[in-house]
Amino acid sequence: EINDSEGHPSSSHQTLKGTSKWATSLENLLEDPEGVKRFREFLKKEFSEENVLFWLACEEFKKTQGKKQMQEKAKEIYMTFLSSKASSQVNVEGQSRLNETILETPHPLMFQKLQEQIFNLMKYDSYSRFLKSDIFLNHKKGEEQEENSPEAQTAAKRASRIYNT
């Protein structure tokens, strides 16, 4: 028996691919490199790409090993997304309380609350618009055309002939 991350038996939704999987949740979208690429493309048009970039930077930061690397990455995230002079500033509450002194003693979850704010902002705002966007719909249409292509159908027919004889 195959179980999912929570230990529950795996269900059929686990077999979804591409846009079908992206449409089930923002988490699924963010787990797929192609999904992230398309979502970034969409957010760039909405002038809010910094949100997903910040979220990705925080995910990467959590995996960072070693105090020195952590300090460097924390400072990079702070300067890029959180400082008042940040080039890609994200709009989060509590940002003003985050000052450079915390960068001296970084820990893997130091950006957790801010990352959750940005995740929720994307989930309840941009994500639903993304699912209605041309970027998403065109990608979905492309996938469907690929699935319905003569080559895909021929392979499926061959397989069904093999197993139905």
Side-chain angles (χ1 to χ4, degrees), residues 27-65:
E27 291 87 341
N28 284 340
L29 171 71
L30 293 171
E31 285 171 3
D32 182 341
E34 184 65 25
V36 169
K37 181 179 162 193
R38 300 296 173 176
F39 193 46
R40 277 185 64 182
E41 205 177 305
F42 170 75
L43 290 176
K44 200 178 280 186
K45 289 182 176 184
E46 289 213 331
F47 303 101
S48 59
E49 184 187 21
E50 68 279 356
N51 291 335
V52 75
L53 294 175
F54 173 71
W55 187 88
L56 291 166
C58 291
E59 284 298 289
E60 200 54 42
F61 178 74
K62 290 177 197 173
K63 300 173 195 161
T64 306
Q65 301 290 312

Side-chain angles (χ1 to χ4, degrees), residues 53-125:
L53 294 175
F54 173 71
W55 187 88
L56 291 166
C58 291
E59 284 298 289
E60 200 54 42
F61 178 74
K62 290 177 197 173
K63 300 173 195 161
T64 306
Q65 301 290 312
K67 188 178 178 191
K68 183 112 178 87
Q69 288 90 327
M70 229 180 217
Q71 282 176 325
E72 288 169 9
K73 265 203 166 125
K75 186 175 170 76
E76 189 182 318
I77 288 173
Y78 180 80
M79 298 311 282
T80 307
F81 301 105
L82 301 169
S83 142
S84 57
K85 302 177 200 87
S87 55
S88 301
Q89 192 176 28
V90 290
N91 186 9
V92 286
E93 292 172 35
Q95 186 172 342
S96 53
R97 282 173 295 200
L98 242 187
N99 61 40
E100 291 189 49
T101 56
I102 68 155
L103 300 177
E104 298 307 311
T105 54
H107 58 88
L109 301 178
M110 66 188 282
F111 298 115
Q112 185 75 30
K113 284 199 175 1
L114 301 177
Q115 185 186 18
E116 286 169 7
Q117 282 183 40
I118 291 299
F119 179 84
N120 286 328
L121 179 71
M122 292 189 299
K123 183 175 185 169
Y124 298 110
D125 185 38

Side-chain angles (χ1 to χ4, degrees), residues 138-154:
N138 289 339
H139 192 76
K140 184 177 179 177
K141 194 185 293 178
E143 280 182 350
E144 288 165 356
Q145 286 171 346
E146 229 172 74
E147 285 171 17
N148 297 327
S149 71
E151 298 84 38
Q153 285 181 346
T154 317

Side-chain angles (χ1 to χ4, degrees), residues 120-138:
N120 286 328
L121 179 71
M122 292 189 299
K123 183 175 185 169
Y124 298 110
D125 185 38
S126 334
Y127 175 64
S128 53
R129 286 197 307 280
F130 170 70
L131 295 177
K132 297 174 190 141
S133 72
D134 287 345
I135 291 171
F136 176 80
L137 296 172
N138 289 339

Side-chain angles (χ1 to χ4, degrees), residues 4-16:
D4 67 13
S5 59
E6 278 104 40
H8 301 113
S10 180
S11 61
S12 61
H13 77 21
Q14 299 275 306
T15 60
L16 293 175

